[in-house]
Amino acid sequence: MPCFQLRGALLSGASILVATSSFAQQTPSDEVIDLGTIRIFGDKFADSLDQTTASVAVLPEQELNTPNTQTLADTFRRIANVQDGARTESGFIIRGINSEGLTPGGNGAPLASIYIDGVQQTAEAARRGFRGLFDVEQVEVYRGPQSTLSGRNALAGAIYLQTKDPDFVNSGAAQLTYGENNHRQVGLAYGGPINDSFAFRLAGEWSKQDSDLNFPTYERFPRLSDLDTDTYYTVRGKVLWQPADNAQTRALLSFSHSFDSPTTNDIAGPNQIPGVSFDDDRGDVFQPPFVWSQDVRETRVNNAGLEITHDITSALRLTALTTVSESTTDRNSINLGVPAETFSVTGAFDQRIVSQEVRLNFDSGPLRWVAGVYGAKEMNQGRYDGDIFFGFPLDIETTNTADITNLAVFGEFAYEFARNWRLIAGGRVDYTDQDIDASLFSIVGAQNTVLDTTNSETEFLPKIGLEYDITADQRIALVYQQGYRPGGAGLQPVGPPFAAGSFAYEFDPESTDTIELSYRGDFIQGRLNVGANLFYTKYKNQQVEVETVVGNPFSNIIVNAGDSESYGAEIDVTYQATDLLTIFGAIGLLHTEFKDFTFGAQDLSGQQFRSAPERTISVGASWGDQIGWFANGLISYVGPQDSGNILNPAIDLGGYTTVDASGGYAWNTVRLTVYANNLFDKRYFTGEEGPGRIATLGDRREIGVRLDKTF
């Protein structure tokens, strides 16, 4: 049988989306295409897509190695019910839920996390940490709760990025990109053996691009060059220990450092700057005397991980994973340090997660199980100092600290109790202890408010389901599981920002019940792969951030909605039409609603979640060979969605469609690609506060060229 490169598969509601064709031989139309085993990294219970029941979209290296997917956010255009956050200062969105929940910043407990080589990222690192996809082997996006195996940080889903591991064969890659707005990107990677037992890989990526927005009133500030320029870089090193005489034991040490300073995409409307239209693309959204509200944020992230695996027997594996992730984000107003500007602010966020997990995996005959223990220590610190004038001088100092301890015991098994029938069951006992300290000091009236609270919670998160093989090529599964996020506390300023002090408030934990039906099927001798998921999630005491005073972000507090729900479907299809042509598509359907939510005199029941489009659709195709001409295209549609603070009337952003295209010529080790992202320069908003105040522009058109070299 001819040997083929992996093209695409949909298994158990999971999707493989690939956009570069690499077939060197013709395939008879009646020949079965063997896609082989597709390995996954993010599911602790499964090693391959054949084993998982999760709704996971898997994008392998072939799909990531195109200029149409330069960043992690670019991959979301291909995935049903997944999109980037409305603003830079927010997370990503899975099934209508922001990874930080409906509470920006996540209060130290995100609802979906990003893992890089197994290392969970802090909330700030998920916003502005790892971005580029150079030398990344695979991206996996898990839709829906993964709480049994991952705990409180995976109620809405998870994203796993696996970078290339060291190998005992010398190899390397170089990449150069140039696009519109002076976009420059460089990537370089190399690795190979150190000796018979050790191998290494080093990789680095740097990217810089100018903003296409206007900042006329900020031109006098030296920090404008930081705000209107998008800058990112990462360096990474890995060392693999795998003795030639001991195939059962393996250790992988990884370290990375990233710097990320994205430019703003916010623009001002007429209710923010009189006489200005959104069409003017004014990025200087804050005018005197509120220029201090425009801050410039730069994030530095350090990740380290050590994974040790040992095969006790051919069926039993021991894994120990030690990780550290720390991030530092500087937030300084654009006018800081300018002598004529006396009203400025400075601040920072320092976050760290240290974790240790040990687990056993067993797979033999009709029984497969995983059992493990987990412990993590998290630290979140925030500082905000301001010298602001509201008709009188106001000296403000705020600090926020949250120390969180998380301990858990978890397990899951699948047992074939009858022919083609498997029982799935699992659970997680999760203990969380939070120590939250906050203070606010204002020189006006000597206001001094201090919050010191400790909260401990223990939750049991069950999972149970049934799986049935309809035929050798079709499978269906029904799974129920629970998830939760702990409660917390905070300070709310009173009156004009900080002028009258603040008061402490608390909010309760939120929890979910989710039931999901998944299906996968292979047809036409493996050429056509279809996956579908139906899901329903019920939220109890959902945590929601509300702006209690319109236009005053300092008035935000977190409250609990009574009950809410979301339900929908995802359908993924991949069709290998010919040996050179692949067609793929995804459809996401979603309904979200607050069923019982009152705040003060307002009844918000019946409203949809914000930034939760009811439809997302993508259709794409790729054509070409390993050597010679190739072409790729993608059409993505995001349906209408509501935007704005939940206490204000919803702003309908309307739906939009974007088109990405690329093509070029490939030689043995060199590939030249011309690309266009958002080819027709569709103008759309991903968020709006207002109406007519501040809107966030979606990505504009970029036309460019990329040169790739492998060696």
Side-chain angles (χ1 to χ4, degrees), residues 546-587:
V546 297
E547 187 179 83
T548 58
V549 178
V550 177
N552 181 4
F554 295 102
S555 68
N556 290 4
I557 65 172
I558 298 172
V559 300
N560 292 97
D563 292 302
S564 55
E565 66 179 13
S566 68
Y567 56 83
E570 292 126 12
I571 304 171
D572 299 287
V573 178
T574 300
Y575 177 47
Q576 186 68 57
T578 71
D579 57 347
L580 297 181
L581 176 64
T582 298
I583 301 171
F584 52 88
I587 299 175

Coordinates of all heavy atoms in Angstrom, one line a residue, residues 546-587:
V546 N -20.4 42.7 36.4 CA -21.3 43.8 36.0 C -20.7 45.2 36.3 O -20.0 45.4 37.2 CB -22.7 43.7 36.7 CG1 -23.3 42.4 36.3 CG2 -22.5 43.8 38.2
E547 N -20.9 46.1 35.4 CA -20.5 47.5 35.5 C -21.7 48.2 36.1 O -22.6 48.6 35.4 CB -20.1 48.0 34.1 CG -19.5 49.4 34.2 CD -19.2 49.9 32.8 OE1 -20.1 50.4 32.1 OE2 -18.0 49.8 32.4
T548 N -21.6 48.5 37.4 CA -22.8 49.1 38.1 C -23.0 50.5 37.8 O -24.1 51.0 38.0 CB -22.6 48.9 39.6 OG1 -21.4 49.6 40.0 CG2 -22.5 47.4 40.0
V549 N -22.0 51.2 37.3 CA -22.2 52.6 36.8 C -21.8 52.7 35.4 O -20.6 52.3 35.1 CB -21.3 53.6 37.7 CG1 -21.5 55.0 37.1 CG2 -21.7 53.5 39.1
V550 N -22.7 53.0 34.5 CA -22.4 53.0 33.1 C -21.2 53.9 32.7 O -21.2 55.0 33.1 CB -23.7 53.5 32.3 CG1 -23.3 53.5 30.8 CG2 -24.8 52.5 32.5
G551 N -20.3 53.3 32.0 CA -19.1 54.1 31.6 C -18.0 54.2 32.6 O -17.0 54.8 32.4
N552 N -18.2 53.5 33.8 CA -17.2 53.6 34.9 C -16.7 52.2 35.2 O -17.3 51.5 35.9 CB -17.8 54.2 36.1 CG -16.8 54.3 37.2 OD1 -15.6 54.0 37.1 ND2 -17.2 54.8 38.4
P553 N -15.6 51.8 34.5 CA -15.0 50.4 34.8 C -14.6 50.2 36.2 O -14.5 49.0 36.6 CB -13.9 50.3 33.8 CG -13.4 51.8 33.6 CD -14.7 52.6 33.6
F554 N -14.4 51.3 37.0 CA -14.0 51.1 38.4 C -15.2 50.6 39.2 O -15.0 50.2 40.4 CB -13.5 52.4 38.9 CG -12.2 52.8 38.3 CD1 -12.2 53.8 37.4 CD2 -11.0 52.2 38.6 CE1 -11.0 54.2 36.8 CE2 -9.8 52.6 38.0 CZ -9.8 53.6 37.1
S555 N -16.4 50.6 38.6 CA -17.6 50.2 39.4 C -17.9 48.7 39.2 O -18.9 48.3 39.7 CB -18.8 51.1 39.0 OG -19.2 50.7 37.6
N556 N -17.0 48.0 38.5 CA -17.3 46.6 38.3 C -17.2 45.7 39.5 O -16.3 45.9 40.3 CB -16.3 46.0 37.2 CG -16.5 46.6 35.8 OD1 -17.4 47.4 35.6 ND2 -15.8 46.1 34.9
I557 N -18.2 44.8 39.7 CA -18.2 43.8 40.7 C -18.6 42.5 40.1 O -19.1 42.4 39.0 CB -19.1 44.2 41.9 CG1 -20.6 44.2 41.4 CG2 -18.7 45.5 42.5 CD1 -21.6 44.4 42.6
I558 N -18.4 41.4 40.8 CA -18.8 40.1 40.4 C -20.0 39.7 41.2 O -20.0 39.7 42.5 CB -17.6 39.1 40.6 CG1 -16.4 39.5 39.7 CG2 -18.0 37.7 40.2 CD1 -15.2 38.7 39.9
V559 N -21.0 39.2 40.5 CA -22.2 38.7 41.2 C -22.5 37.3 40.6 O -21.9 36.9 39.7 CB -23.4 39.7 40.9 CG1 -23.1 41.1 41.5 CG2 -23.7 39.7 39.4
N560 N -23.5 36.7 41.3 CA -23.9 35.3 40.9 C -25.3 35.4 40.2 O -26.2 35.9 40.8 CB -24.0 34.4 42.0 CG -22.6 34.1 42.6 OD1 -22.2 34.7 43.6 ND2 -22.0 33.1 42.0
A561 N -25.3 35.0 38.9 CA -26.6 34.8 38.3 C -27.3 33.5 38.9 O -26.6 32.6 39.3 CB -26.5 34.6 36.8
G562 N -28.6 33.5 38.9 CA -29.3 32.4 39.5 C -29.1 31.1 38.7 O -28.4 30.2 39.2
D563 N -29.6 31.0 37.6 CA -29.5 29.9 36.7 C -29.3 30.3 35.3 O -29.9 31.3 34.9 CB -30.7 28.9 36.8 CG -30.9 28.3 38.1 OD1 -29.9 27.6 38.5 OD2 -31.9 28.4 38.8
S564 N -28.5 29.6 34.5 CA -28.4 29.9 33.1 C -28.1 28.6 32.4 O -27.8 27.5 33.0 CB -27.3 30.9 32.8 OG -26.1 30.5 33.4
E565 N -28.2 28.6 31.0 CA -27.9 27.4 30.3 C -27.3 27.7 28.9 O -27.4 28.8 28.4 CB -29.3 26.6 30.1 CG -30.3 27.3 29.2 CD -31.6 26.5 29.0 OE1 -31.8 25.6 29.8 OE2 -32.4 26.9 28.1
S566 N -26.7 26.7 28.3 CA -26.3 26.7 27.0 C -26.4 25.3 26.4 O -26.3 24.3 27.0 CB -24.8 27.2 26.9 OG -23.9 26.2 27.4
Y567 N -26.8 25.3 25.1 CA -26.8 24.1 24.4 C -26.6 24.3 22.9 O -26.7 25.4 22.4 CB -28.2 23.4 24.6 CG -29.4 24.2 24.2 CD1 -29.9 24.3 22.9 CD2 -30.1 24.9 25.2 CE1 -31.0 25.0 22.5 CE2 -31.3 25.6 24.9 CZ -31.7 25.7 23.5 OH -32.8 26.4 23.2
G568 N -26.2 23.3 22.2 CA -25.9 23.4 20.8 C -25.3 22.2 20.2 O -25.4 21.1 20.7
A569 N -24.6 22.4 19.1 CA -24.0 21.2 18.4 C -22.8 21.7 17.6 O -22.6 22.9 17.3 CB -25.0 20.7 17.4
E570 N -21.9 20.7 17.3 CA -20.8 20.9 16.4 C -20.7 19.7 15.4 O -20.9 18.6 15.8 CB -19.5 20.9 17.2 CG -19.3 22.1 18.1 CD -19.0 21.7 19.6 OE1 -18.8 20.5 19.9 OE2 -19.1 22.6 20.4
I571 N -20.6 20.1 14.2 CA -20.5 19.1 13.1 C -19.2 19.4 12.3 O -19.0 20.5 11.9 CB -21.7 19.2 12.1 CG1 -23.0 19.0 12.9 CG2 -21.6 18.1 11.1 CD1 -24.2 19.3 12.1
D572 N -18.4 18.4 12.2 CA -17.1 18.5 11.5 C -17.0 17.4 10.4 O -17.3 16.3 10.6 CB -15.9 18.3 12.5 CG -15.9 19.3 13.6 OD1 -15.6 20.5 13.3 OD2 -16.2 18.9 14.7
V573 N -16.5 17.9 9.2 CA -16.4 17.0 8.1 C -15.1 17.2 7.4 O -14.7 18.3 7.2 CB -17.6 17.2 7.1 CG1 -17.4 16.4 5.8 CG2 -18.9 17.0 7.7
T574 N -14.4 16.1 7.0 CA -13.2 16.1 6.2 C -13.4 15.1 5.1 O -13.7 14.0 5.3 CB -12.0 15.8 7.0 OG1 -11.8 16.7 8.1 CG2 -10.7 15.9 6.1
Y575 N -13.2 15.6 3.8 CA -13.3 14.7 2.7 C -12.1 14.8 1.8 O -11.7 15.8 1.3 CB -14.5 15.2 1.8 CG -14.8 14.4 0.6 CD1 -14.7 13.0 0.6 CD2 -15.0 15.0 -0.6 CE1 -14.9 12.2 -0.6 CE2 -15.2 14.3 -1.8 CZ -15.1 12.9 -1.8 OH -15.3 12.2 -2.9
Q576 N -11.4 13.6 1.6 CA -10.3 13.5 0.8 C -10.8 13.2 -0.6 O -11.0 12.1 -1.1 CB -9.4 12.3 1.2 CG -8.1 12.2 0.5 CD -7.2 13.4 0.7 OE1 -6.8 13.6 1.9 NE2 -6.8 14.1 -0.3
A577 N -11.1 14.3 -1.4 CA -11.7 14.2 -2.7 C -10.8 13.4 -3.7 O -11.3 12.6 -4.4 CB -12.1 15.5 -3.2
T578 N -9.6 13.8 -3.8 CA -8.6 13.2 -4.6 C -7.3 13.1 -3.8 O -7.2 13.6 -2.7 CB -8.4 13.9 -5.9 OG1 -7.7 15.1 -5.6 CG2 -9.7 14.3 -6.6
D579 N -6.3 12.5 -4.5 CA -5.0 12.4 -3.8 C -4.4 13.8 -3.6 O -3.5 14.0 -2.8 CB -4.1 11.5 -4.6 CG -3.8 12.0 -6.0 OD1 -4.6 12.8 -6.5 OD2 -2.9 11.5 -6.6
L580 N -4.8 14.8 -4.3 CA -4.3 16.2 -4.2 C -5.2 17.2 -3.6 O -4.8 18.3 -3.2 CB -3.9 16.7 -5.6 CG -2.8 15.9 -6.3 CD1 -2.5 16.6 -7.6 CD2 -1.5 15.8 -5.5
L581 N -6.5 16.8 -3.4 CA -7.5 17.8 -3.0 C -8.2 17.3 -1.7 O -8.8 16.2 -1.7 CB -8.6 18.0 -4.1 CG -9.7 19.0 -3.7 CD1 -9.2 20.4 -3.4 CD2 -10.8 19.0 -4.8
T582 N -8.2 18.1 -0.7 CA -8.9 17.9 0.6 C -9.9 19.0 0.8 O -9.6 20.2 0.7 CB -8.0 17.8 1.8 OG1 -7.1 16.7 1.6 CG2 -8.8 17.6 3.0
I583 N -11.1 18.7 1.2 CA -12.2 19.6 1.5 C -12.6 19.4 2.9 O -12.8 18.2 3.3 CB -13.4 19.5 0.5 CG1 -13.0 19.7 -0.9 CG2 -14.5 20.5 0.9 CD1 -14.0 19.4 -1.9
F584 N -12.7 20.5 3.7 CA -13.1 20.3 5.1 C -14.1 21.4 5.5 O -14.1 22.5 4.9 CB -11.9 20.3 6.0 CG -11.0 21.4 5.8 CD1 -11.1 22.6 6.5 CD2 -9.9 21.4 4.9 CE1 -10.3 23.7 6.3 CE2 -9.0 22.4 4.7 CZ -9.2 23.6 5.4
G585 N -14.8 21.2 6.5 CA -15.8 22.2 7.0 C -16.2 21.9 8.5 O -16.0 20.8 9.0
A586 N -16.7 22.9 9.1 CA -17.2 22.8 10.5 C -18.4 23.8 10.7 O -18.4 24.9 10.2 CB -16.1 23.1 11.5
I587 N -19.4 23.3 11.4 CA -20.5 24.1 11.7 C -20.7 24.0 13.3 O -20.8 23.0 13.9 CB -21.8 23.5 11.0 CG1 -21.6 23.6 9.5 CG2 -23.0 24.4 11.5 CD1 -22.8 23.0 8.8

